Amino acid sequence: MPVTSPFHGLSAFPPTPADSAGRVDTEALCRLLIPLCEAGVASIGLLGSTGIYAYLTREERLRAVKAAVECVNGRVPLVVGAGALRTDHALDLARDAEAAGADALLLAPMSYTPLTQEEAYQHFLAVAKATGLPLCIYNNPGTTHFTFSRELLQRLSDIETIKAVKMPLPADGDLLGELATLREKTNLEIGYSGDWGAAEALFAGADAWYSVIGGLLPRTPLALTKAAMAGNDGEARRLDGLLQPLWGVFKAYGSIRVVYMLAEHLLGVRAELPRPLLPLGPADHQRVLGTARPLIELERQSLL
């Protein structure tokens, strides 16, 4: 697969700073994006789950995309989330993103009434036809409660502009087997989310790591990604070891709560979780900060 693809390497997913009314702070967003560009991440995943896309209006999502395009200024490809409950709304979001200058789309099958495989296929087909941008399937059953069959992924991979899939970690841990099956059935670039399993996914041959912590503290995840993809298992495992304490608090509190707290602490930005999500309490805040402090220091040292 070409390394110029936005679906290859470390894709960093930053939080979207916003106030309690869901108004995006575009200046603060730019302050989060600049370090990602300077670190040299492969792509930026704007308005992913960590970017609270599901909680923002169309207008605020467009403001975020326009601000990000201006801030990034072509230095790093922008992959923009276009997920919505209604197909017509997803079409609007995809067209907005393309018109604003996004480089690629990320699409999750959001639903209230559970979707059938055919309904999901038609939804993706419609969005893929709405723009000329390459599209990544967002397979996130933990939030969407939709499971892609292998047959559906194969059908979707036959659509010209659908180029990649963002997979969750397999429940049985069989990354090698899953990757072999997906490569046999599809021509998609295959990446994984679930930060704590990223190293193993990359060792198994995944094309990308879609990273939550990479959207805030990118340099250690980026070094891990490069080492793993170059076959330097020892260095990649060393770096993953440094991240293990953080994976523990991700699992304990949910990664979104952790990174929003850290974003406010590190950059002094206003990054409120959308209600009904609640911020961490004082004791949990201190636990997370203590866990993240060594990584924060590593990030700062790499900038010297």
Side-chain angles (χ1 to χ4, degrees):
M1 296 293 181
V3 294
T4 54
S5 165
F7 311 123
H8 189 105
L10 181 72
S11 186
F13 279 67
T16 303
D19 64 18
S20 59
R23 176 79 172 173
V24 174
D25 184 338
T26 56
E27 180 181 353
L29 177 61
C30 189
R31 289 172 61 192
L32 288 170
L33 299 182
I34 288 173
L36 306 184
C37 297
E38 293 175 343
V41 300
S43 64
I44 293 172
L46 189 75
L47 299 175
S49 294
T50 303
I52 58 171
Y53 76 96
Y55 298 90
L56 298 174
T57 64
R58 176 185 178 184
E59 291 74 20
E60 289 304 307
R61 289 165 73 163
L62 180 56
R63 285 183 68 244
V65 178
K66 287 181 175 179
V69 168
E70 180 179 359
C71 179
V72 170
N73 193 29
R75 289 176 287 176
V76 175
L78 278 172
V79 182
V80 175
L85 283 170
R86 293 175 57 99
T87 298
D88 53 352
H89 292 176
L91 296 177
D92 289 337
L93 292 164
R95 290 170 179 141
D96 284 350
E98 182 177 43
D103 299 289
L105 298 173
L106 178 70
L107 183 64
M110 295 177 66
S111 64
Y112 179 80
T113 300
L115 300 179
T116 67
Q117 299 288 298
E118 183 62 25
E119 286 167 342
Y121 175 79
Q122 294 297 334
H123 179 69
F124 274 78
L125 177 63
V127 176
K129 287 183 174 181
T131 82
L133 296 179
L135 187 148
C136 179
I137 300 163
Y138 190 1
N139 183 3
N140 189 5
T143 56
T144 64
H145 309 292
F146 178 83
T147 300
F148 287 85
S149 68
R150 295 291 183 265
E151 291 72 23
L152 177 56
L153 290 174
Q154 184 173 15
R155 289 182 71 196
L156 290 173
S157 76
D158 290 334
I159 298 171
E160 183 178 2
T161 56
I162 296 183
K163 302 295 187 181
V165 60
K166 178 179 184 283
M167 294 289 291
L169 297 169
D172 62 3
D174 185 13
L175 285 157
L176 284 170
E178 180 171 84
L179 281 163
T181 299
L182 289 172
R183 295 202 193 287
E184 179 184 359
K185 289 182 173 292
T186 78
N187 57 1
L188 299 171
E189 290 187 86
I190 304 162
Y192 283 86
S193 54
D195 278 14
W196 48 87
E200 296 303 324
L202 293 168
F203 294 146
D207 297 303
W209 172 14
Y210 295 98
S211 176
V212 173
I213 195 58
L216 191 62
L217 298 169
R219 293 180 184 268
T220 300
L222 182 59
L224 188 162
T225 302
K226 289 180 176 179
M229 297 185 86
N232 188 348
D233 287 12
E235 175 64 2
R237 291 194 185 280
R238 182 188 74 82
L239 293 166
D240 189 46
L242 297 176
L243 292 163
Q244 286 299 320
L246 188 65
W247 304 158
V249 295
F250 271 23
K251 292 177 182 179
Y253 304 119
S255 59
I256 191 170
R257 296 180 182 87
V258 172
V259 296
Y260 274 73
M261 187 223 88
L262 289 175
E264 289 197 333
H265 174 80
L266 290 172
L267 299 179
V269 301
R270 188 177 186 183
E272 296 191 31
L273 288 168
R275 296 295 298 268
L277 300 180
L278 296 174
L280 299 179
D284 295 333
H285 185 287
Q286 289 304 311
R287 178 188 171 190
V288 169
L289 190 57
T291 299
R293 190 169 284 115
L295 294 172
I296 295 169
E297 288 306 312
L298 279 175
E299 190 84 10
R300 286 172 176 165
Q301 289 170 17
S302 69
L303 296 173
L304 296 177

